[in-house]
């Protein structure tokens, strides 16, 4: 049973399918390295945009190619096919690929210490805890149903006590009162709800037992063995970009209106909201991308609760020690 808590999923046996939703963007430097993002260009990837614009990858001796993602992009497939050297993924899809399909992956970092997905409701009809879902109708994307079932199980709630209906990332039914809550990104959808004239309330699944990273940095074992120095350089430059971006989350998104964010259909105010909301989910005492032993164990425990059996060996924290 797969625990899929993001907007993309790993498909067994998939070859590469549409590796980029846009053209690759490069920064001139000596050693070519390609990264595959997990979604379309938005504030979720602000630290990388800043590091490219400021030349931090170039300073580390890298010629970085950035591939944007999208609904048809499977990040793991991109690195299997050799179209990218590293990809941002979710730990559930990656660990399931390793344990069930024999994929030769290693997780070398985690952008989000806490996954931003959660239960979103309206303040006038709040759902503040898993227990509040009893007797309620919650909209969930079909691929994420098992995520909510895990949340209910971990909190001792009968699955039959909650009415789960399909959801397609549109908060309109919530605003209209057709549903009581939805499963979505707490860093983003509350802004959309505010544009529709309502105020959102939300809680993270992470805070109620579904303790997973998000945007985990994944490479193949071959790449780890042959390009270790470049991967450490990428981590160092990316951390520098994230540190600077999150120092003032409102500063950089307006500068990318006609570059990174052009043509996405999203407002800059939305991106500033997103960038600000994600800060506390990314920062860590150990530095951006850090993976403490406790956090890794929490990830493995959450996955085990839904039948995905991972091990500590699937994570490699030694590169972060060199950053």
């Amino acid at each position: 049973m797969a625990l899929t808590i993001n907007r993309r999923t790993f498909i067994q046996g998939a070859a590469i399918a549409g590796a980029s939703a846009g053209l690759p963007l490069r920064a001139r430097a000596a050693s070519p390295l390609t990264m595959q993002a997990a979604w379309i260009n938005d504030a979720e990837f602000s630290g990388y945009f800043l590091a490219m614009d400021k030349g931090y990858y170039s300073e580390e001796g890298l010629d970085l190619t950035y591939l944007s993602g999208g609904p048809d992009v499977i990040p793991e497939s991109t690195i299997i096919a050799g179209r990218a050297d590293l990809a941002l993924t979710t730990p559930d899809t990656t660990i399931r690929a390793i344990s069930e399909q024999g994929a030769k992956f290693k997780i070398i970092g985690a952008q989000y210490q806490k996954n931003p997905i959660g239960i979103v409701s309206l303040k006038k009809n709040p759902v503040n805890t898993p227990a509040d879902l009893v007797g309620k109708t919650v909209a969930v994307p079909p691929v994420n149903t098992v995520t909510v079932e895990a949340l209910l199980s971990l909190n001792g709630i009968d699955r039959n006590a909650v009415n789960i209906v399909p959801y397609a990332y549109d908060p309109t039914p919530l605003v209209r009162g057709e549903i009581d809550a939805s499963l979505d990104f707490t860093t983003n959808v509350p802004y959309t709800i505010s544009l529709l004239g309502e105020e959102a309330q939300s809680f993270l699944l992470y805070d109620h037992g579904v303790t997973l990273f998000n945007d985990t940095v994944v490479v193949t074992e071959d790449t780890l063995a042959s390009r270790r120095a470049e991967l450490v350089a990428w981590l160092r430059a990316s951390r520098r970009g994230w540190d600077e971006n999150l120092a003032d989350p409102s500063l950089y998104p307006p500068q990318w209106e006609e570059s990174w964010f052009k043509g996405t259909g999203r407002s800059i105010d939305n991106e500033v909201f997103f960038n600000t909301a994600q800060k506390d989910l990314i920062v860590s005492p150990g530095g951006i991308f850090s993976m403490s032993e406790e956090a890794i164990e929490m990830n493995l425990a959450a996955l085990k609760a839904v039948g995905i059996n991972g091990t500590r060996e699937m994570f490699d924290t030694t590169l972060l020690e060199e950053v």
Side-chain angles (χ1 to χ4, degrees), residues 77-93:
S77 293
T78 312
I79 57 175
I80 287 175
R83 295 176 61 105
D85 300 294
L86 62 90
L88 301 180
T89 75
T90 56
D92 58 309
T93 58

Side-chain angles (χ1 to χ4, degrees), residues 298-312:
M298 290 169 66
N299 273 257
L300 293 173
L303 292 171
K304 186 176 181 180
V306 292
I308 301 176
N309 296 310
T311 65
R312 174 62 178 83

Side-chain angles (χ1 to χ4, degrees), residues 144-204:
N144 300 120
T145 299
V146 71
T147 305
V148 175
E149 291 176 344
L151 175 72
L152 300 178
S153 176
L154 288 164
N155 288 276
I157 298 168
D158 184 353
R159 164 67 177 81
N160 294 324
V162 180
N163 181 30
I164 297 177
V165 299
Y167 179 56
Y169 303 107
D170 178 6
T172 304
L174 179 60
V175 172
R176 289 177 177 171
E178 298 168 7
I179 58 174
D180 299 299
S182 63
L183 185 78
D184 218 320
F185 271 50
T186 61
T187 49
N188 186 32
V189 75
Y191 178 85
T192 305
I193 289 172
S194 72
L195 296 181
L196 297 173
E198 293 288 353
E199 192 171 358
Q201 184 85 358
S202 66
F203 68 81
L204 294 174

Side-chain angles (χ1 to χ4, degrees), residues 35 41-57 64 66 88 111-112 215 234-249 252-253 256 260-261 271 274-275 278 282 288-289:
M35 74 168 284
N41 290 356
D42 60 19
E44 185 175 348
F45 312 108
S46 295
Y48 312 110
F49 300 155
L50 191 151
M52 284 185 278
D53 286 353
K54 295 275 189 173
Y56 296 160
Y57 296 109
L64 185 71
Y66 173 91
L88 301 180
Q111 177 180 315
Y112 286 102
D215 283 354
W234 181 89
L235 286 166
R236 187 182 298 115
S238 298
R239 177 180 285 182
R240 185 179 174 191
W242 275 112
D243 284 340
E244 185 171 342
N245 168 65
L246 294 176
D248 182 356
Y252 289 100
W256 299 325
W260 296 108
F261 296 149
E271 302 299 354
F274 193 155
N275 205 27
Q278 69 183 350
I282 293 176
I288 304 236
F289 299 116

